[in-house]
Amino acid sequence: MTAFLRRQNLTMTTLFQGRAYWLQRWVALLLTGVMAGLSGMLLAMLLHEIQHLAYGYSQNVLISPQTFLQGVSDASAQRRFIVLVAAGIVAGGGWWLLARYGKKRVSISTAVSNPDKPMPPLTTLVHILLQIITVAMGSPLGREVAPREAGALFAGGAARRLRLSPADIQLMTACGAGAGLAAVYNVPLAGAIFTLEVLLVSFSWDAAIAALVTSALAAWVATLGLGDEHQYHFTTEFAASSLIFWSVLCGPLLGAGAFLFRRLTQYASSKVRDNWQMPAVSLIAFTLLGIFSVWFPQLPGNGKGAAQLALSGEMTAWLAVVLLVLKVLVISAVLRAGAAGGLLTPGLAVGGLLGSLLFMLVGPLFPGSDMESFALLGAAGFLAASANMPVTTLALVMESTRMDHSFLVPAALSIAGAYATSRALGAWQNARFSTKTITEAKRDGNKNPI
């Protein structure tokens, strides 16, 4: 009888502990969604405020109908140049000081893969603020990494305070980063898929539910301050039948371009030196951007303005070529300087410009098509291949443009073709490098036999 009672007490204790842990886990999920939403909302508000102060537009309202491109275009050429030179000083000096005196930064991917390595709070917060300030002042990099880092930082901290398991800390950190993306761009589905496809690189129903809950909650919380707006205005109502054929043809072209773009940006990032070169090269890179902005106000910023021009069909052949070349140039330059930021919106912009240019070349061969549709397919395919996230990109483009359902098939085909081409080129490059290494090793072995 005594042994039976002991077993009953043990069972009840285990059940109670299981329910308590389940409750802690849900508290962590809800906190992750709310904190990611609040941080994304506050960072976006800070971005808008700095933009308005820097370029002197819409200074009486925080959330303005006037876009960043309109504000930069209305500012004088002298003001654009001065602001961008100042951005170079802030970027170079800020990241150099952070590298010299701050703790070693832990990336989101490292924090997710290794729960025993938390993101250092002060270093991460300074890194986040530097991104928001420089992007607001005109850096050509994206703003999405900052809210992702904030979401991951707060989510990981909350999970540790609640004493969750390492596996759950890993899940919460990934969900926080995905929720940050969902909050800043109002893309709850894309944020959830990003968590699974890019950060966890796996699928389980448990993780999927956690990602959906946190991303949806974060996106909703952010709309309380930012409004329920989508990022891009895409006005084409229906996809022409000819776009099916074009999406099959353009995929490999976009994939090859995205592969080169990724190699270029990776090479630029690999050359960063956190010594005196960082402030010097940063000043040179942003000064170059400032000079270009005198004639092309579409260049400053993360590329949203250029992408919107392409998606609205307001692009000439000359402008598309110039912006495409200069955009890639300044992105590479600021990455080489050591500036941090995302490549999501820049990738969309480069792809949209490339799609617009292709329409001007071959558009008449596809009846019923328009520049806006070509730009949409270009942006989707290029981003999917350059960022290695095909499913996330499809959801992101769908939510950020509110495109018609008829565009799903052409967009999916463009993404599939671009992604497959980029992967194939990457595999070919790796095989070529391996063969070259083996050949050199054999040659060195023949020269220096043991």
Side-chain angles (χ1 to χ4, degrees), residues 60-311:
N60 297 323
V61 290
L62 188 61
I63 307 300
S64 167
Q66 189 175 11
T67 65
F68 179 68
L69 175 58
Q70 292 171 335
V72 174
S73 300
D74 290 342
S76 66
Q78 182 182 13
R79 184 166 190 157
R80 292 197 292 267
F81 177 78
I82 292 173
V83 169
L84 288 165
V85 171
I89 296 172
V90 172
W95 272 296
W96 175 70
L97 290 172
L98 186 63
R100 186 181 178 97
Y101 298 107
K103 289 185 178 180
K104 185 177 181 181
R105 194 172 64 87
V106 176
S107 67
I108 295 173
S109 58
T110 301
V112 170
S113 61
N114 191 351
D116 295 330
K117 282 190 174 182
M119 304 170 75
L122 184 58
T123 296
T124 304
L125 288 173
V126 172
H127 186 67
I128 288 169
L129 290 175
L130 281 172
Q131 291 177 69
I132 292 298
I133 293 170
T134 53
V135 171
M137 295 178 74
S139 170
L141 302 180
R143 58 173 171 151
E144 73 277 357
V145 174
R148 278 163 41 195
E149 289 181 337
L153 174 65
F154 295 139
R160 289 180 178 86
R161 287 293 183 90
L162 292 168
R163 298 181 179 180
L164 299 185
S165 68
D168 283 330
I169 293 175
Q170 180 184 38
L171 176 62
M172 297 303 161
T173 303
C175 286
L181 175 66
V184 76
Y185 287 142
N186 193 17
V187 288
L189 180 59
I193 296 174
F194 177 83
T195 301
L196 301 172
E197 181 183 30
V198 178
L199 297 176
L200 295 176
V201 200
S202 63
F203 177 86
S204 69
W205 287 113
D206 186 53
I209 291 171
L212 285 169
V213 168
T214 52
S215 290
L217 183 56
W220 176 75
V221 169
T223 60
L224 298 179
L226 303 176
D228 188 16
E229 291 288 333
H230 53 283
Q231 293 296 306
Y232 301 100
H233 297 283
F234 181 69
T235 57
T236 302
E237 295 183 358
F238 301 103
S241 300
S242 61
L243 283 180
I244 297 292
F245 302 100
W246 171 242
S247 63
V248 175
L249 296 175
C250 74
L253 297 174
L254 297 170
F259 172 76
L260 295 174
F261 178 74
R262 187 171 69 250
R263 283 198 62 188
L264 180 62
T265 54
Q266 289 174 345
Y267 177 79
S269 298
S270 69
K271 296 298 180 181
V272 175
R273 299 292 179 268
D274 56 0
N275 52 22
W276 62 268
Q277 291 186 30
M278 185 172 283
V281 178
S282 179
L283 181 59
I284 293 172
F286 278 90
T287 300
L288 186 67
L289 175 59
I291 293 172
F292 290 146
S293 72
V294 171
W295 297 280
F296 301 101
Q298 303 88 348
L299 278 179
N302 60 4
K304 182 181 177 181
Q308 183 58 65
L309 290 176
L311 290 170

Side-chain angles (χ1 to χ4, degrees), residues 241-425:
S241 300
S242 61
L243 283 180
I244 297 292
F245 302 100
W246 171 242
S247 63
V248 175
L249 296 175
C250 74
L253 297 174
L254 297 170
F259 172 76
L260 295 174
F261 178 74
R262 187 171 69 250
R263 283 198 62 188
L264 180 62
T265 54
Q266 289 174 345
Y267 177 79
S269 298
S270 69
K271 296 298 180 181
V272 175
R273 299 292 179 268
D274 56 0
N275 52 22
W276 62 268
Q277 291 186 30
M278 185 172 283
V281 178
S282 179
L283 181 59
I284 293 172
F286 278 90
T287 300
L288 186 67
L289 175 59
I291 293 172
F292 290 146
S293 72
V294 171
W295 297 280
F296 301 101
Q298 303 88 348
L299 278 179
N302 60 4
K304 182 181 177 181
Q308 183 58 65
L309 290 176
L311 290 170
S312 301
E314 303 174 35
M315 192 65 64
T316 63
W318 164 248
L319 185 60
V321 170
V322 172
L323 289 182
L324 183 62
V325 173
L326 293 183
K327 198 69 181 174
V328 173
L329 176 63
V330 295
I331 289 171
S332 303
V334 298
L335 286 175
R336 170 61 182 84
L343 290 175
L344 193 154
T345 305
L348 280 172
V350 173
L353 291 169
L354 186 57
S356 298
L357 190 59
L358 289 172
F359 174 78
M360 298 173 200
L361 295 174
V362 299
L365 301 177
F366 298 88
S369 63
D370 53 23
M371 182 183 292
E372 295 93 317
S373 301
F374 269 57
L376 179 72
L377 299 186
F382 191 91
L383 176 62
S386 62
N388 280 325
M389 52 181 202
V391 185
T392 301
T393 297
L394 184 60
L396 180 73
V397 171
M398 178 181 69
E399 290 182 297
S400 61
T401 64
R402 308 285 172 92
M403 66 185 189
D404 184 74
H405 180 78
S406 59
F407 283 95
L408 279 175
V409 172
L413 290 174
S414 173
I415 287 171
Y419 182 70
T421 301
S422 179
R423 288 291 298 271
L425 290 172

